[in-house]
Amino acid sequence: MAKGDAQQRKVDYFAKIHKLLDDYSKIFLVEADNVGSDQMHKIRISLRGKAVILMGKNTMIRKAMRGRVQEYPALEKLIPLIVGNIGLVFTNDDLRDTRTALTKIRTAAPAKAGAIAPIDVYIEAQNTGMGPEKTAFFQALGIATKIVKGTIEISAQVHLIKKGDKVGPSESALLNMLGISPFTYGLTVRSIYDQGTVFDNEVLDISDEMLLASLTKAITRVTCVSLALKLPTVAAVPHLIMNAFKDALAVSVETDYTFSYSEKVKEYLADPSKFAVAAAPAAAA
C-alpha cells in the first residue's frame, strides 16, 4: 500500500469518527473478545437503521476523539476506557433496547485451555459412553464415576470450572470428549456515554421500581433523623405539624383551654355513649 493511500485512509477514518460524534449522542463501549467476523456481520445487520458499529485501532480512536474534546468535553472521561479489544456503537435510540439488540446474538464455543471462564461450568450426572480405560482420566479430575454396562457413568453433578478461573487442559479435553460447549461469546457492553455522561453498563439494569424504592428508603431515613433532632425538613414537616397538633389536643383535653378542633373530642369524652353512635354506621357498612 502506498504511503499516500495509508494517509488518506487515516484521514477518512478520522472524518468518519467525527461525523459519528456529531450525528449520535449515545455511545456504547463494547468488548469484542472471541467475536468472529461472521458473528459481527450478523450483529451489524440486526442493528441496521438503529446503530452503527465502529471498530479500529484504539490509538486512532483515542486520537480522533481528542480532536473533538473541545466540542464534547465529556469525551475526556471515555477516552481512558478505550483499551483492549474494544469497539464503539453509536446510536440515538433507547439505550436498553439497543443493548438488548447488541448482546442477543451469541455463539456457543468450546472451553479452550488457558481461557478465563466467564461462567461456572457444571457437568450433570450422565453416562459418558466412554470405555473403562478412561477411568483414570476422571479420577485425576476428582470426578466420581461408576461402570454401567461397560461404560463410564458420572455419578453426580460436578462443578468442573469456577467463574474467573483459567480452563485447564484436562477440563478442556473432558468437555470436548463430552461434546459440551459451555461458553457463549458476543459483544459485551463495558461502559456507556450518553449526552456527556459516562457510566457503567450495570446502571441500565436499574429500574424505575428500584429507584422509587431507594428514594422511599432515603426519605424515610431523613424523616426519622429530622424527627429525632426536631429539625424541620420537607420530609419531616407534615409529621412535626401532626405531632404538634396532638400535643395541643392533649393540653386542651387536660385543661379548660379549648380550640375548634378539640371541642368535639371533649364532647365525646364527656359523653362516651356518642362513640357507640358514631361507630354504628361504620359497623353497618
Side-chain angles (χ1 to χ4, degrees), residues 194-209:
D194 183 10
Q195 301 181 44
T197 303
V198 179
F199 50 89
D200 292 335
N201 175 46
E202 290 75 16
V203 173
L204 285 187
D205 297 324
I206 300 174
S207 64
D208 292 341
E209 291 74 17

Side-chain angles (χ1 to χ4, degrees), residues 97-119:
D97 292 344
T98 304
R99 183 181 65 170
T100 299
L102 265 176
T103 57
K104 72 178 180 180
I105 298 178
R106 305 189 67 82
T107 301
K112 295 181 180 178
I116 302 300
I119 58 171

Side-chain angles (χ1 to χ4, degrees), residues 109-149:
K112 295 181 180 178
I116 302 300
I119 58 171
D120 289 308
V121 178
Y122 294 88
I123 296 179
E124 301 299 327
Q126 59 183 285
N127 191 299
T128 65
M130 302 178 194
E133 69 277 2
K134 294 287 187 180
T135 300
F137 181 77
F138 285 90
Q139 290 177 341
L141 289 170
I143 299 175
T145 61
K146 57 185 177 182
I147 304 300
V148 178
K149 296 182 180 180

Side-chain angles (χ1 to χ4, degrees), residues 55-74:
M55 305 298 292
K57 292 183 178 180
N58 291 346
T59 52
M60 292 182 65
I61 294 175
R62 289 195 293 264
K63 187 174 182 180
M65 284 190 168
R66 287 193 183 100
R68 300 306 296 274
V69 166
Q70 187 172 354
E71 292 91 336
Y72 308 105

Side-chain angles (χ1 to χ4, degrees), residues 23-66:
D23 291 347
Y24 297 95
S25 61
K26 304 171 186 178
I27 307 172
F28 286 89
L29 200 67
V30 297
E31 291 181 352
D33 291 340
N34 302 298
V35 177
S37 57
D38 183 59
Q39 185 179 356
M40 182 65 77
H41 178 65
K42 292 178 181 177
I43 296 172
R44 289 182 188 276
I45 291 175
S46 71
L47 293 174
R48 190 168 293 167
K50 303 175 183 177
V52 177
I53 299 177
L54 178 76
M55 305 298 292
K57 292 183 178 180
N58 291 346
T59 52
M60 292 182 65
I61 294 175
R62 289 195 293 264
K63 187 174 182 180
M65 284 190 168
R66 287 193 183 100

Side-chain angles (χ1 to χ4, degrees), residues 254-274:
E254 295 295 329
T255 65
D256 293 333
Y257 173 74
T258 301
F259 59 98
S260 59
Y261 291 103
S262 68
E263 289 177 353
K264 195 163 189 177
V265 174
K266 284 189 172 186
E267 183 182 336
Y268 272 67
L269 291 174
D271 183 6
S273 63
K274 291 186 177 182

